[in-house]
Amino acid sequence: MQPRIEPTGRLAAFGTQLIEVHHWLREELSRLRDNVDAFLDGEGRRPRELRAHCLTFCSALERHHTGEDQNAFPTLAEEFPALRPTLEKLQEDHHLVAGILRRIEALVGDLDADLDENEAERVRRELDGLSAIVESHFSFEERQIVEALNSLNDPGWEQSKPDFLKMSGSAPA
């Protein structure tokens, strides 16, 4: 099925929009990892800026996954019952990612002016693990559900973009 183009010229293919959100999240995670590396190399941001970037990214990823769990996956399960095992696997991944996000938030939550190298290394390790899991998760999700999402016609999603399709303003550079 061909994606629909609205009169405004906006592509209304929800799967295509999902890929765009994943791309944005991948870029933000890469920038965040670069910021931690720069900090460790003595060239980076102040701890408060690093903390703000981490928390902004974690919030965006959590909102994306929560939106999928609450909106996209129930709709897909109803329209495409054969996808239910895949959707359950994706939700399991969301729980795994949520645990990593909580650890990252705890690590950076108290960052002030005194971030030491050991704390930054722990943040880097968590981000490295998160990056590997998120890349695998996004790739699997895109292979499995984009075509189904592209075939959906949900007027509510067209009028008010659901959370899983939103890209919040860029996190701090």
Side-chain angles (χ1 to χ4, degrees), residues 52-153:
H53 191 175
C54 277
L55 295 175
T56 299
F57 172 78
C58 289
S59 176
L61 184 56
E62 181 180 8
R63 185 188 68 233
H64 171 71
H65 282 166
T66 300
E68 286 180 332
D69 291 344
Q70 293 176 353
N71 293 322
F73 294 174
T75 301
L76 286 171
E78 185 176 315
E79 293 289 324
F80 303 96
L83 282 177
R84 285 185 178 141
T86 298
L87 299 171
E88 289 172 7
K89 166 66 176 120
L90 291 169
Q91 286 180 310
E92 289 173 12
D93 287 355
H94 291 175
H95 292 295
L96 180 64
V97 168
I100 296 171
L101 293 177
R102 281 191 299 275
R103 288 194 301 273
I104 291 170
E105 289 169 345
L107 285 170
V108 301
D110 293 329
L111 291 184
D112 203 359
D114 297 327
L115 176 68
D116 68 32
E117 193 170 311
N118 290 332
E119 291 171 315
E121 278 293 341
R122 288 195 299 272
V123 171
R124 183 193 324 208
R125 284 193 302 273
E126 290 291 349
L127 290 173
D128 288 347
L130 178 64
S131 182
I133 290 167
V134 162
E135 182 55 40
S136 173
H137 171 78
F138 285 171
S139 295
F140 177 73
E141 186 172 69
E142 290 166 5
R143 286 191 313 272
Q144 298 298 315
I145 71 169
V146 163
E147 186 176 330
L149 278 170
N150 278 343
S151 72
L152 289 178
N153 179 13

